[in-house]
Amino acid sequence: MSRLPTYLFFLAATTMPSLPAMAAEMRLMTGPQGGVWVPLGGQLKDLWEKAVPGLSVQSLPGAGIANVRAIEENKAEVGFGNSISTVDGLAGNAPFPKKHENICNVASLYPQYFQMLVPADSGIKTVKDLKGKAITTQPRGNTGELITGQLLKVHGMSYSDVKISFVSYTDSVEQVKDGHAQAFSLGTAIPSGAVMDLASARDIKLLDLSADLDGMRKLNPGYTLVTVPKGTYPKQGEDVKVIGYATHIVASCKLPADQVYAMTKAIADNVPALAATSKALSDLTPKLMAEDVGVPFHPGAARFYKEKGITVASK
């Protein structure tokens, strides 16, 4: 067999077109069918595949707790989460069986609002005034129910100090309407359809919970303070501060920093497109994305925020 001169091998090696790199695959955990995380996940898939050359994103159904577990167990690389549940995962609090250490924050997307409603003529002004009163909230295990129990704990109370009912939004509204409950608590977006329904039947008051934030953050640093703007509900004449937590994007801390930087930038650069899927993202800014919810940021995300003049805690 003839042998080519060495210089021909060198010439071939330097003139042959390079082969395309194998597309990187990334699994994105979204939410259950019917929820907003699914269409938002579709939007992020498109944005991220355009922002990161060669990236292929597989969108999978999930849920806040399940998504954190999947990333920790290397069954996914990125997903949606609820900040308070993610913080519990990092700490190894129930329902997580151990500390989840491979979870990094990427960006907060929009807030959820824990709201405590009372009849306007009830005389109830603070959580302390709920002692001995009938309270209605969601079934056990629901986020709103969890927060209700913690809020009572901050004030040295438990469910045994109140008359508690664990029912649906619809049943809760009916209980307050007919006077069987003096308070209704729930964790959801604003305006809440259930609260609007209640407000159509009787005058209500939304309790200001700003004084409770420090105590709540001692139980879970994922809590924040958010504002229900005046006029959100009928006869609400002023802004009201309530306990908030964030829907956010979490990722494996093992993902390359350059990739996560590009993913974070893609979110910030495409807010109108994301807001078309969920109006809750309409006012999203890098500052809001970088909010401290108790979960350290991925170094790639931290680099993006630093370019915007925002310093965040990172892994």
Side-chain angles (χ1 to χ4, degrees):
M1 184 170 60
S2 61
R3 301 179 63 183
L4 290 173
T6 302
Y7 77 90
L8 288 181
F9 280 112
F10 175 79
L11 180 63
T14 56
T15 59
M16 283 180 64
S18 60
L19 295 174
M22 185 177 293
E25 293 188 359
M26 186 176 74
R27 294 162 294 183
L28 164 64
M29 300 290 287
T30 61
Q33 292 297 326
V36 72
W37 287 2
V38 174
L40 276 179
Q43 284 273 25
L44 291 176
K45 168 182 165 66
D46 293 341
L47 294 178
W48 289 343
E49 287 180 344
K50 291 176 183 177
V52 182
L55 180 66
S56 175
V57 179
Q58 181 184 11
S59 186
L60 302 168
I65 293 172
N67 296 353
V68 172
R69 285 177 171 170
I71 294 172
E72 178 69 15
E73 296 169 2
N74 295 315
K75 296 177 180 177
E77 287 71 45
V78 65
F80 289 86
N82 285 316
S83 58
I84 54 176
S85 296
T86 306
V87 167
D88 281 336
L90 266 62
N93 296 334
F96 297 92
K98 64 174 185 176
K99 291 184 178 181
H100 285 37
E101 300 178 343
N102 184 37
I103 308 298
C104 279
N105 200 3
V106 174
S108 289
L109 297 183
Y110 56 87
Q112 299 275 39
Y113 299 75
F114 177 77
Q115 304 161 69
M116 180 72 76
L117 287 304
V118 299
D121 59 359
S122 66
I124 298 172
K125 297 181 179 180
T126 69
V127 175
K128 289 182 179 180
D129 298 330
L130 295 174
K131 188 169 185 177
K133 302 292 195 300
I135 302 174
T136 182
T137 189
Q138 288 78 73
R140 284 188 178 273
N142 185 283
T143 299
E145 180 271 322
L146 170 70
I147 300 174
T148 300
Q150 291 182 333
L151 192 60
L152 292 174
K153 184 176 181 179
V154 165
H155 291 274
M157 293 186 284
S158 67
Y159 287 145
S160 62
D161 295 301
V162 296
K163 301 170 185 175
I164 191 75
S165 179
F166 306 102
V167 293
S168 67
Y169 285 171
T170 301
D171 289 341
S172 289
V173 168
E174 291 303 315
Q175 286 190 30
V176 179
K177 279 183 180 180
D178 62 23
H180 288 130
Q182 287 78 55
F184 169 31
S185 64
L186 72 167
T188 187
I190 57 171
S192 161
V195 176
M196 295 296 285
D197 183 15
L198 177 57
S200 69
R202 65 181 303 174
D203 291 347
I204 56 171
K205 177 183 178 180
L206 182 62
L207 293 188
D208 188 303
L209 303 176
S210 55
D212 304 307
L213 179 64
D214 288 345
M216 293 296 283
R217 282 184 64 88
K218 288 178 182 177
L219 297 177
N220 188 314
Y223 287 120
T224 60
L225 202 62
V226 291
T227 301
V228 180
K230 64 180 181 180
T232 299
Y233 298 119
K235 299 184 180 180
Q236 182 194 339
E238 57 185 18
D239 294 348
V240 180
K241 301 287 187 180
V242 300
I243 300 299
Y245 50 100
T247 282
H248 64 150
I249 297 295
V250 291
S252 167
C253 301
K254 300 174 186 176
L255 280 179
D258 288 347
Q259 178 175 324
V260 176
Y261 169 88
M263 290 163 57
T264 310
K265 186 176 187 300
I267 294 174
D269 288 348
N270 292 278
V271 170
L274 294 169
T277 299
S278 174
K279 292 182 179 179
L281 283 84
S282 299
D283 299 322
L284 188 64
T285 64
K287 183 178 180 180
L288 293 174
M289 290 168 60
E291 182 181 21
D292 177 12
V293 296
V295 182
F297 282 87
H298 192 288
R303 192 175 99 205
F304 171 78
Y305 298 127
K306 185 177 181 179
E307 290 180 356
K308 298 296 182 180
I310 305 166
T311 300
V312 297
S314 64
K315 282 275 191 176

